[in-house]
C-alpha cells in the first residue's frame, strides 16, 4: 500500500487538481491512500474568519469568499455537471455556520478545531469527486473517524492504539470498495465524535 500526500499548493485550483489526477493515474498500481490538505490558503482564511468571529466583527463576507473560491474550482473542474459538488460544498459549510451560531461556542481553541478543519473536508470532497469522474475510482474517508485524539484543542495528542484500530478497520473496508482512499491531513476526532 502506498500513501501520497498533497499539500495545499498542490490543490490550489482546478489545474492543480487535474495534476493530482495525472500523478495518481501515472502510478496506478495497487492500493493507494491519498491524503490532502486544505486548498491553497484556505486554512489562513478560516483563521481570519475565526478571528473576526471572536472580535465580534462580520464574518459573512469572509465565509462567502471561501465558498466562492471552492465553487469556482468545482465549476472549473466539472462545468455544467458541478451542481452535486457545489451542493456538497454548501452542505459542508453549514458546519461552519452552525459553529459560528453556537451560543456555547465560546472556547476559541475548540472553535478553531471545529471551523478550520472544514478546509480539509472541502478539498477532499472536491478532489474525490473529480477523481471518480475521471475513472480513478476512490472512497472518501473522514479522518475524524480515523485519528483519535484527546480533547486538548489546537494541541491534541494522538491516541495511537485507538487510531491504529480505527484506521486499520476503516481503510480495509474502504479499499474493498475502491483501490484508492481519499482522506484529510492534519485533523482528527476526539472521543466526543465517536459512538461505541
Amino acid at each position: 500500500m502506498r500513501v501520497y500526500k498533497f499539500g495545499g499548493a498542490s490543490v490550489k485550483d482546478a489545474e492543480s487538481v487535474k495534476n493530482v489526477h495525472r500523478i495518481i493515474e501515472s502510478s496506478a498500481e495497487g492500493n493507494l491512500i491519498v491524503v490532502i490538505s486544505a486548498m491553497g490558503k484556505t486554512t489562513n482564511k478560516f483563521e481570519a474568519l475565526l478571528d473576526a468571529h471572536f472580535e465580534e466583527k462580520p464574518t459573512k463576507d469572509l465565509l462567502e469568499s471561501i465558498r466562492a473560491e471552492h465553487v469556482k474550482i468545482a465549476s472549473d473542474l466539472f462545468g455544467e455537471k458541478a451542481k452535486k459538488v457545489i451542493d456538497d460544498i454548501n452542505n459542508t459549510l453549514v458546519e461552519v455556520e452552525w459553529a459560528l451560531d453556537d451560543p456555547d461556542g465560546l472556547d476559541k481553541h475548540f472553535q478553531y478545531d471545529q471551523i478550520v478543519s472544514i478546509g480539509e473536508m472541502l478539498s477532499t470532497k472536491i478532489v474525490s469527486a473529480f477523481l471518480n469522474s475521471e475513472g480513478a475510482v476512490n472512497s472518501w474517508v473522514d479522518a475524524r473517524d480515523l485519528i483519535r485524539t484527546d480533547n486538548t484543542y489546537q494541541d491534541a495528542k494522538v491516541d495511537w492504539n485507538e487510531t491504529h484500530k480505527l484506521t486499520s478497520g476503516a481503510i480495509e473496508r474502504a479499499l474493498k470498495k475502491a483501490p484508492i482512499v481519499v482522506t484529510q491531513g492534519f485533523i482528527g476526532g476526539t472521543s466526543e465524535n465517536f459512538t461505541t
Side-chain angles (χ1 to χ4, degrees):
M1 179 186 314
R2 293 160 302 136
V3 178
Y4 286 0
K5 168 68 172 71
F6 294 97
S10 300
V11 290
K12 66 183 178 181
D13 54 27
E15 194 51 48
S16 299
V17 173
K18 290 176 183 177
N19 190 52
V20 166
H21 172 250
R22 285 190 288 272
I23 291 167
I24 289 169
E25 284 292 291
S26 71
S27 59
E29 287 182 22
N31 293 330
L32 176 64
I33 311 298
V34 179
V35 180
I36 299 173
S37 297
M39 294 178 150
K41 298 292 183 184
T42 301
T43 297
N44 302 56
K45 291 174 184 176
F46 273 122
E47 289 172 338
L49 176 107
L50 187 70
D51 288 341
H53 174 66
F54 277 91
E55 292 166 11
E56 298 184 1
K57 295 178 180 175
T59 58
K60 183 177 179 183
D61 288 347
L62 293 167
L63 185 57
E64 289 311 310
S65 170
I66 293 168
R67 183 188 318 272
E69 288 175 5
H70 287 81
V71 166
K72 179 178 182 343
I73 292 169
S75 297
D76 290 347
L77 288 169
F78 296 96
E80 294 177 1
K81 297 179 180 177
K83 183 183 181 323
K84 185 177 185 306
V85 178
I86 291 170
D87 287 346
D88 207 5
I89 291 167
N90 289 326
N91 291 335
T92 302
L93 287 172
V94 166
E95 291 182 47
V96 176
E97 293 166 351
W98 287 342
L100 294 173
D101 288 341
D102 182 2
D104 297 323
L106 302 177
D107 182 282
K108 189 171 183 179
H109 299 293
F110 174 80
Q111 288 287 58
Y112 183 98
D113 284 357
Q114 300 307 303
I115 291 172
V116 175
S117 64
I118 298 301
E120 277 75 10
M121 296 289 111
L122 292 168
S123 65
T124 55
K125 288 181 177 188
I126 292 169
V127 172
S128 174
F130 182 70
L131 292 175
N132 276 323
S133 75
E134 295 296 306
V137 179
N138 70 89
S139 295
W140 181 89
V141 177
D142 190 334
R144 297 173 295 186
D145 295 335
L146 303 176
I147 311 299
R148 174 69 67 86
T149 70
D150 65 15
N151 293 354
T152 312
Y153 301 107
Q154 276 194 273
D155 192 26
K157 306 296 182 268
V158 175
D159 178 336
W160 289 108
N161 288 331
E162 192 63 24
T163 295
H164 181 265
K165 285 186 228 169
L166 293 167
T167 302
S168 296
I171 296 297
E172 191 176 301
R173 287 188 298 276
L175 288 172
K176 286 180 181 175
K177 297 177 188 174
I180 302 169
V181 171
V182 174
T183 193
Q184 307 78 37
F186 304 112
I187 66 174
T190 69
S191 58
E192 296 168 1
N193 300 108
F194 293 86
T195 55
T196 54

